[in-house]
Amino acid sequence: MILHAGLHRVLRGVRRWRGEGAGQPIPVDPELPASDWRHLATEIEATVENKGGPVAARRRAGKIGVTYESLTPGGRLRFFQKLAEDFGHEDQQVNRAMDAVFAASTREARRSAEDELRRRLRARREVLLRRLAGLDDGLPFLIGMRSELLPHRRRSPELTALDGEMRQILEEWFDVGFLNLERLTWDTPASFLEKLIEYEAVHAIESWDDLKRRLGPGRRCYAFLHPGMPDDPLIFVEVALTKDIARSLEPLLAAPTDPDHAAHAERDSDTAIFYSISNCHDGLAGVSLGDFLIKSVVEELAAEMPGLKTFATLSPMPGFRSWLVARADGDGALLTPEETAALGDGGAGIAEELDGLIAGPPRPPDDPLLSRVEPVLLRLAATYLLETGPSGRAVDPVAHFHLTNGARVEYVNWMANPSPVGWDRGLGLMVNYRYDLRTIETNHDRYISDGRIAAADAVRKLAEPPKADGGRIRRS
Amino acid sequence: MILHAGLHRVLRGVRRWRGEGAGQPIPVDPELPASDWRHLATEIEATVENKGGPVAARRRAGKIGVTYESLTPGGRLRFFQKLAEDFGHEDQQVNRAMDAVFAASTREARRSAEDELRRRLRARREVLLRRLAGLDDGLPFLIGMRSELLPHRRRSPELTALDGEMRQILEEWFDVGFLNLERLTWDTPASFLEKLIEYEAVHAIESWDDLKRRLGPGRRCYAFLHPGMPDDPLIFVEVALTKDIARSLEPLLAAPTDPDHAAHAERDSDTAIFYSISNCHDGLAGVSLGDFLIKSVVEELAAEMPGLKTFATLSPMPGFRSWLVARADGDGALLTPEETAALGDGGAGIAEELDGLIAGPPRPPDDPLLSRVEPVLLRLAATYLLETGPSGRAVDPVAHFHLTNGARVEYVNWMANPSPVGWDRGLGLMVNYRYDLRTIETNHDRYISDGRIAAADAVRKLAEPPKADGGRIRRS
Amino acid sequence: MILHAGLHRVLRGVRRWRGEGAGQPIPVDPELPASDWRHLATEIEATVENKGGPVAARRRAGKIGVTYESLTPGGRLRFFQKLAEDFGHEDQQVNRAMDAVFAASTREARRSAEDELRRRLRARREVLLRRLAGLDDGLPFLIGMRSELLPHRRRSPELTALDGEMRQILEEWFDVGFLNLERLTWDTPASFLEKLIEYEAVHAIESWDDLKRRLGPGRRCYAFLHPGMPDDPLIFVEVALTKDIARSLEPLLAAPTDPDHAAHAERDSDTAIFYSISNCHDGLAGVSLGDFLIKSVVEELAAEMPGLKTFATLSPMPGFRSWLVARADGDGALLTPEETAALGDGGAGIAEELDGLIAGPPRPPDDPLLSRVEPVLLRLAATYLLETGPSGRAVDPVAHFHLTNGARVEYVNWMANPSPVGWDRGLGLMVNYRYDLRTIETNHDRYISDGRIAAADAVRKLAEPPKADGGRIRRS
Amino acid sequence: MILHAGLHRVLRGVRRWRGEGAGQPIPVDPELPASDWRHLATEIEATVENKGGPVAARRRAGKIGVTYESLTPGGRLRFFQKLAEDFGHEDQQVNRAMDAVFAASTREARRSAEDELRRRLRARREVLLRRLAGLDDGLPFLIGMRSELLPHRRRSPELTALDGEMRQILEEWFDVGFLNLERLTWDTPASFLEKLIEYEAVHAIESWDDLKRRLGPGRRCYAFLHPGMPDDPLIFVEVALTKDIARSLEPLLAAPTDPDHAAHAERDSDTAIFYSISNCHDGLAGVSLGDFLIKSVVEELAAEMPGLKTFATLSPMPGFRSWLVARADGDGALLTPEETAALGDGGAGIAEELDGLIAGPPRPPDDPLLSRVEPVLLRLAATYLLETGPSGRAVDPVAHFHLTNGARVEYVNWMANPSPVGWDRGLGLMVNYRYDLRTIETNHDRYISDGRIAAADAVRKLAEPPKADGGRIRRS
């Protein structure tokens, strides 16, 4: 592909709207009292009506944008509310358009009436939102705007609708067809890498040394970028290349004792472990990116390193603790009678200890209680992972994400992350979800249509209540 | 801005769908008989229903794409027809959804019912079209597809709707917010410049020397590019930097006698003449690009060269001849009585000669008839340019374009392009439309809302029928 | 490697010396009379003596550079002569330094005296030449300067020495370690490709279509570039990918009837034919580049296309005609008695015809004389190619180049280039020199040390005088 | 300038010599005993004699390079010694060549004999060194090699000569004409910025936050890069933009309390302070870079920010303490009688305290002794800075560097860097050297030719011994 170096990218003055040389905000009180809203409404109206032509409309959108930025949080909420109320569609016009559809006597007439109906159903503010998105840096602006709207979107049906329109526009602009998959390395600009530190949501990056390690031998980091936001990742995933599926977190994050060894190990690896995946922008909530990122990276790695045979995650179970607590509160029956018996301790004692454990602070991995209840917690974890709610969705949100992608539950791992964070996200247990390209689509379809969860036999067995066998828990 | 050199753009395997290593087409007869359509329909159905998850759906879209490419023109038309008929929306579902809107008793219920109605009004094939657009090189694919649909779009309301959906998707993806304005120079890759030769629609580029001249001193060329089609311009404009508004074409296209002189002249220029603007892709018909391109270039040039004070076009009048012919056929009254008298020649003689002139082959610029009828043709040209049709649109399409942009009619130029092409596009006359940033928005609004055409006083005067004054045409 | 995009290349003001904002030339008459030389000499003296520090010296060099550019050809010659005479070394100082070396009694003293002698042997003008080379665009400046000196370099030992110093500096700066091997394609900037048309010295590029073909499927073009002259190739080679060694030129230059076929043929090719190699700058005469270019391209192609087994040239024999003429003039014995007999024509007739042929204008390939004398001319060509002069160098300059590189004479081809140019460079015959990586070094060493020419057995046989065999020339 | 994106930089296989796919080292013992040297010597001989042609010679150089890298430090020293002894020039040949020069009777003959003499004076190993430099990554290799030779270069005249030849080659390759001045920012690749942390020799970079600050608002960082080492700076300078000349270090290094304020301050700045300049490679010792760097940055900043009027350094006085100690040891007379009197303390007391101070550990800035001796130390510092040694060089090395560049001593600053490092490099005192483009060349010339040091009048006054005035030190 040509990297048009001989083309001279020119200043995009038409779209400049912020900073030096750009327009001034509309003079409104930052709290946006009703009286000031009117000034803003006039400009919005002109934008929506395309007054002065599209270039003028775009410049006016910029003016509205900087005005929005001059508002306080309270002013911004009022802005959302007024925009939602005053720039929707007109019910009467919709009604008339529906009447016309019903009245149409020919196919042509009906199609034409439907076109009109579609137009009438469209909120007028959409024109403004699209103009804002089309400004230079309009995408990050709209993402930021939506992240500020999100906490309030349930306040009224109009705010919900406004949020839905924003999401719709962002979905169109952030279609995966626009995104570039980029590998991030230690050669990436520092200003960009800094953002990984900021955005990493799963396993915090402790320092630049830690970051360098995660980009070094035996590790990979990939991100989706949008050409309209080239300095900011949308989502990124961190990968470790290992021998066999990694079943505990510590070796993935620890500093390698020997970089030569790390390079050597990379050559011998047969497995890629996705140990962290972070969405970078709240404002993109509901815009699906993770599925494509994981599969793009799987394809990329498979092409680059033919030795890689297995692709899997090492994931937390963020809902496990609250599920246990709810279950314990509900009927107290965390333990089967057989387990209670096997644990020997007689009745309430062990059940109480277990209750304390699941609700309490992190325990050290060598806490004797832990080894006693290991079989019980493993059974409960497997049960939890295989459980679906009334809508057919897996109860664990991370499980739901990977199952929707077509992965299967492969292993449940004891004390895979005994850190406080790990305790919080699943009592130290972690799960491997495996991405097997041959079964990914079938898994997806079964899960989506029937709520059937793909899981390894061992996990299914793990979930079975143990049979009593002379006071000991026996597993086949 | 960072040019993420340290980021490693990876192979985008997930989206690869054509050529080596990609999927095979669905085995159908290239004429796409009804029996074979069913195989295709099954895949389209699965795509629309998102079977196997979005990655699978995208891959399936690629399969459908290569299948489309394997069809003959007849097969492709059948593909459009079946897609239009079988994958639209369901009237009954729309009816039910409209009933629900009417029945809604609360605002919440109504909003929710409207949401459902919007969904039901959406054609099912839209999912496929969006998946196709999101493929690698999906945008040029969709543009090509639409250019093949365009000649047939009037055949049925369904085909019209299909075309409308394609245009809608292309409008979203080719929003000017995504486009990059690039200056093309002689340093641009040859493979790219070659496309200018191919696409130039106004004044054919004769040779590489001619092209080099149009990119050299005293000349500029700008294009809009889309990041998803970096090797292909969408629209480009050619500009000449001159002293005063250029009122004839020849000096703009001729080889400069002296390149040093050309560089010198560039420094002294005060005017930018847009002498050619070419849309590059039929499939983008109806997607507005030209307005933004001209204004972006005006802003860019104004910033780069503060000496530039005037921005104008030198444009043809493509509808002038047929307008004259229609008018002559209608009532024969091309000439006013005063003009007939002034031309001396008595009655039908001159009128007949004029009829022959407007319908006939190009005349040499020194044809005596031409100088005789110059005042008449100038008056008619001005009249033509200021005329609007019943919808309030200027009758000349080029005039309509520039007037919509807010330009005004500045000069009508006699024998500005006496070449055969120039004869065809306006009997050798050409027009300057002037872009004056101070009046552009007012002009736009007046034209759009009231059909009022902005024009220089001299042009208005030119359009006035002359007063008889002792046998000579007198103009004030 | 990092493409330091995040690094901001800054204006290199310190080195700006030409054009706007740079210094003015020293005011001298363009013919550079002796009186004006003194002004220039003062500045050169200051430069050589590093007056004001190195930054000042460099700026002063720039001043001298623009002054040089203001001179006429006659003025420039005088500049060279005065520079050569007045800024060499001092014989007396060299004598004293040599005395000191002879007088040194210890190794330390001798080494130190030798250091002084080296310094004294260095021409003072070298400092100026190096300062000029170190200016921005100083390398093309020095190359241009030397190309203007070259025609005069034999005029005096001082001018010869000056030329030698320039060559020495250019050799250092154009060391192959600095050069980048680049593949040129149709995606290369037009302004760069234009230079190929200008520089092609072997088979003129007829048009941009011709050029596109030479960069298209089945063809390759590689150049050496220097980072200090990124817009200008130093030397380039054109390659055709073929099935077997190409033994005639026409198929290599002809337009392919079918581009698909060309792409297909490329995949099946087993041979790379170097059919044109052009040095781009006279001023680099004597700076060895071709050897590295050919071998770099061989390695590059071998790595990229493992199917390529054979690497060879298709080369002219530029000295063949004059060698034949000289031989004919010398003793008339172009034909052996056996050949004369075999050609039947009795005595002087055929010899005279042959004389006419070699000295005369191009003959059409189907001239009957040509087929009669084919065996004779092939024998003479082989003889010519295997002949070395008194210094042990091959008499043909192209042969000398390839033999020095370690290639061997593989085939002599009849009517391989019957065009007028081909006639001029070897009566239409051409040679394949083969680069076999396994024997390249041995061939080189034998040729350099002993003047032994590597050639295929068939070529050696071809050079043997034929034995008479009943009136027919018989070849084994 | 074109950034040849359409050119495809190809693998430079011909030069690959290290790592996978490259040649194996010559099998020698890493200690390089005499017996093994012979194997190496054979290869060096073949390289020097260009056996097999230049491509072969280059490959052989690569082999020698990897062999060198396989040696222990002891082995490398032996390599240097043998290379220095066995591959120099031949004294007898030099003698004969000198005889020939003396014997030459014509100018032509003499010039030709001198050419031969030059050749004979050239060490044979130079061919090897140049071949090594011309390898891929040959420049960093040679720099590394020289840095390992440097500690031993005084051991023998041959090693000194070898070092001189290396320096000569490096001087040619690192001519400032080849270097690119780059601005480093926070957008620079992390792998590159990491090197700044490593190389900063003056004021250690404490952390990535510290580094980010030094690249942020109100700060600049520039480096010279060589195209052959694009990932590694050669020398870099850190600049602070200030209001007036900064006379103490702390504000330059401290974290700004408010980044907005920093950006604001940058706009108001009128002075650029060069507060740190670091050479990055020992192996480039003696290759002058700093002069050009400072002046290039001055020109660059002056062009970018017309508000900047003053350019100065804030520099240590690294030789001050040892100069004081030597002076105190010499005659004890750090204090003039007047000063002793003025300090009141009677006789040896204060002198002894002062001796303790200059030889002892860092004192806190509020140590009462410091304020007592401030006038004395300032006088001594000024005296020190204005002192030249027998060769006419300033005794302080940093002063010598800036004076050679044409700067002048502007201010001596009390307690400008009270940190332990600052104490070590001048008892906490620092100097501003000012670069005034109008006087830079005169200053240079006076310093170089006459040892005259440019200094502000105030500094000269400061250096004058005070006059006694009723027990107080009085300064005019």
Side-chain angles (χ1 to χ4, degrees), chain D residues 285-299:
Chain D
V287 177
S288 162
L289 299 168
D291 182 13
F292 278 106
L293 180 60
I294 292 179
K295 289 177 191 167
S296 298
V297 171
V298 167
E299 291 211 12

PDB file of all heavy atoms in Angstrom, chain D residues 285-299:
ATOM      1  N   ALA D 285      35.058  10.207  21.217  1.00  0.00           N
ATOM      2  CA  ALA D 285      35.923  11.205  21.847  1.00  0.00           C
ATOM      3  C   ALA D 285      36.788  11.892  20.792  1.00  0.00           C
ATOM      4  O   ALA D 285      37.385  11.237  19.934  1.00  0.00           O
ATOM      5  CB  ALA D 285      36.811  10.541  22.897  1.00  0.00           C
ATOM      6  N   GLY D 286      36.828  13.203  20.831  1.00  0.00           N
ATOM      7  CA  GLY D 286      37.655  13.946  19.886  1.00  0.00           C
ATOM      8  C   GLY D 286      36.927  14.312  18.606  1.00  0.00           C
ATOM      9  O   GLY D 286      37.425  15.079  17.794  1.00  0.00           O
ATOM     10  N   VAL D 287      35.720  13.758  18.398  1.00  0.00           N
ATOM     11  CA  VAL D 287      34.925  14.127  17.224  1.00  0.00           C
ATOM     12  C   VAL D 287      34.004  15.267  17.652  1.00  0.00           C
ATOM     13  O   VAL D 287      33.135  15.086  18.501  1.00  0.00           O
ATOM     14  CB  VAL D 287      34.110  12.926  16.703  1.00  0.00           C
ATOM     15  CG1 VAL D 287      33.247  13.344  15.526  1.00  0.00           C
ATOM     16  CG2 VAL D 287      35.045  11.788  16.333  1.00  0.00           C
ATOM     17  N   SER D 288      34.215  16.418  17.057  1.00  0.00           N
ATOM     18  CA  SER D 288      33.551  17.626  17.534  1.00  0.00           C
ATOM     19  C   SER D 288      32.083  17.671  17.115  1.00  0.00           C
ATOM     20  O   SER D 288      31.759  17.648  15.932  1.00  0.00           O
ATOM     21  CB  SER D 288      34.293  18.840  16.966  1.00  0.00           C
ATOM     22  OG  SER D 288      33.487  19.980  17.036  1.00  0.00           O
ATOM     23  N   LEU D 289      31.182  17.730  18.079  1.00  0.00           N
ATOM     24  CA  LEU D 289      29.753  17.771  17.794  1.00  0.00           C
ATOM     25  C   LEU D 289      29.046  18.894  18.548  1.00  0.00           C
ATOM     26  O   LEU D 289      28.087  19.484  18.070  1.00  0.00           O
ATOM     27  CB  LEU D 289      29.095  16.437  18.198  1.00  0.00           C
ATOM     28  CG  LEU D 289      29.593  15.164  17.495  1.00  0.00           C
ATOM     29  CD1 LEU D 289      29.051  13.937  18.215  1.00  0.00           C
ATOM     30  CD2 LEU D 289      29.138  15.162  16.044  1.00  0.00           C
ATOM     31  N   GLY D 290      29.549  19.175  19.763  1.00  0.00           N
ATOM     32  CA  GLY D 290      28.828  20.090  20.643  1.00  0.00           C
ATOM     33  C   GLY D 290      28.703  21.494  20.092  1.00  0.00           C
ATOM     34  O   GLY D 290      27.672  22.141  20.224  1.00  0.00           O
ATOM     35  N   ASP D 291      29.752  21.978  19.456  1.00  0.00           N
ATOM     36  CA  ASP D 291      29.733  23.325  18.904  1.00  0.00           C
ATOM     37  C   ASP D 291      28.578  23.476  17.930  1.00  0.00           C
ATOM     38  O   ASP D 291      27.748  24.383  18.027  1.00  0.00           O
ATOM     39  CB  ASP D 291      31.081  23.559  18.205  1.00  0.00           C
ATOM     40  CG  ASP D 291      31.185  24.963  17.633  1.00  0.00           C
ATOM     41  OD1 ASP D 291      30.343  25.806  17.982  1.00  0.00           O
ATOM     42  OD2 ASP D 291      32.114  25.199  16.843  1.00  0.00           O
ATOM     43  N   PHE D 292      28.484  22.541  16.979  1.00  0.00           N
ATOM     44  CA  PHE D 292      27.422  22.605  15.990  1.00  0.00           C
ATOM     45  C   PHE D 292      26.052  22.446  16.625  1.00  0.00           C
ATOM     46  O   PHE D 292      25.088  23.080  16.217  1.00  0.00           O
ATOM     47  CB  PHE D 292      27.620  21.531  14.928  1.00  0.00           C
ATOM     48  CG  PHE D 292      28.589  21.952  13.889  1.00  0.00           C
ATOM     49  CD1 PHE D 292      29.865  21.430  13.849  1.00  0.00           C
ATOM     50  CD2 PHE D 292      28.218  22.901  12.942  1.00  0.00           C
ATOM     51  CE1 PHE D 292      30.770  21.843  12.888  1.00  0.00           C
ATOM     52  CE2 PHE D 292      29.121  23.306  11.974  1.00  0.00           C
ATOM     53  CZ  PHE D 292      30.398  22.783  11.947  1.00  0.00           C
ATOM     54  N   LEU D 293      25.975  21.565  17.604  1.00  0.00           N
ATOM     55  CA  LEU D 293      24.672  21.334  18.220  1.00  0.00           C
ATOM     56  C   LEU D 293      24.153  22.621  18.844  1.00  0.00           C
ATOM     57  O   LEU D 293      23.025  23.049  18.590  1.00  0.00           O
ATOM     58  CB  LEU D 293      24.756  20.223  19.267  1.00  0.00           C
ATOM     59  CG  LEU D 293      23.426  19.934  19.951  1.00  0.00           C
ATOM     60  CD1 LEU D 293      22.363  19.505  18.953  1.00  0.00           C
ATOM     61  CD2 LEU D 293      23.585  18.856  21.023  1.00  0.00           C
ATOM     62  N   ILE D 294      24.978  23.268  19.658  1.00  0.00           N
ATOM     63  CA  ILE D 294      24.522  24.486  20.330  1.00  0.00           C
ATOM     64  C   ILE D 294      24.121  25.538  19.307  1.00  0.00           C
ATOM     65  O   ILE D 294      23.043  26.122  19.381  1.00  0.00           O
ATOM     66  CB  ILE D 294      25.614  25.022  21.284  1.00  0.00           C
ATOM     67  CG1 ILE D 294      25.785  24.054  22.453  1.00  0.00           C
ATOM     68  CG2 ILE D 294      25.255  26.412  21.783  1.00  0.00           C
ATOM     69  CD1 ILE D 294      26.847  24.478  23.444  1.00  0.00           C
ATOM     70  N   LYS D 295      24.945  25.727  18.299  1.00  0.00           N
ATOM     71  CA  LYS D 295      24.620  26.790  17.348  1.00  0.00           C
ATOM     72  C   LYS D 295      23.421  26.436  16.479  1.00  0.00           C
ATOM     73  O   LYS D 295      22.627  27.310  16.123  1.00  0.00           O
ATOM     74  CB  LYS D 295      25.854  27.136  16.523  1.00  0.00           C
ATOM     75  CG  LYS D 295      26.861  27.873  17.411  1.00  0.00           C
ATOM     76  CD  LYS D 295      28.138  28.203  16.711  1.00  0.00           C
ATOM     77  CE  LYS D 295      29.170  28.677  17.737  1.00  0.00           C
ATOM     78  NZ  LYS D 295      30.524  28.728  17.160  1.00  0.00           N
ATOM     79  N   SER D 296      23.280  25.177  16.150  1.00  0.00           N
ATOM     80  CA  SER D 296      22.102  24.777  15.385  1.00  0.00           C
ATOM     81  C   SER D 296      20.846  25.034  16.197  1.00  0.00           C
ATOM     82  O   SER D 296      19.834  25.509  15.679  1.00  0.00           O
ATOM     83  CB  SER D 296      22.175  23.286  15.033  1.00  0.00           C
ATOM     84  OG  SER D 296      23.298  23.017  14.224  1.00  0.00           O
ATOM     85  N   VAL D 297      20.901  24.719  17.479  1.00  0.00           N
ATOM     86  CA  VAL D 297      19.722  24.903  18.321  1.00  0.00           C
ATOM     87  C   VAL D 297      19.452  26.398  18.513  1.00  0.00           C
ATOM     88  O   VAL D 297      18.296  26.827  18.493  1.00  0.00           O
ATOM     89  CB  VAL D 297      19.891  24.163  19.659  1.00  0.00           C
ATOM     90  CG1 VAL D 297      18.771  24.523  20.622  1.00  0.00           C
ATOM     91  CG2 VAL D 297      19.927  22.660  19.416  1.00  0.00           C
ATOM     92  N   VAL D 298      20.508  27.180  18.660  1.00  0.00           N
ATOM     93  CA  VAL D 298      20.303  28.633  18.764  1.00  0.00           C
ATOM     94  C   VAL D 298      19.575  29.143  17.527  1.00  0.00           C
ATOM     95  O   VAL D 298      18.565  29.852  17.617  1.00  0.00           O
ATOM     96  CB  VAL D 298      21.650  29.366  18.942  1.00  0.00           C
ATOM     97  CG1 VAL D 298      21.469  30.865  18.728  1.00  0.00           C
ATOM     98  CG2 VAL D 298      22.227  29.098  20.328  1.00  0.00           C
ATOM     99  N   GLU D 299      20.041  28.746  16.338  1.00  0.00           N
ATOM    100  CA  GLU D 299      19.395  29.220  15.112  1.00  0.00           C
ATOM    101  C   GLU D 299      17.962  28.722  15.021  1.00  0.00           C
ATOM    102  O   GLU D 299      17.054  29.448  14.616  1.00  0.00           O
ATOM    103  CB  GLU D 299      20.181  28.738  13.890  1.00  0.00           C
ATOM    104  CG  GLU D 299      21.523  29.417  13.762  1.00  0.00           C
ATOM    105  CD  GLU D 299      21.933  29.551  12.295  1.00  0.00           C
ATOM    106  OE1 GLU D 299      21.089  29.335  11.399  1.00  0.00           O
ATOM    107  OE2 GLU D 299      23.110  29.844  12.048  1.00  0.00           O
TER     108      GLU D 299
END
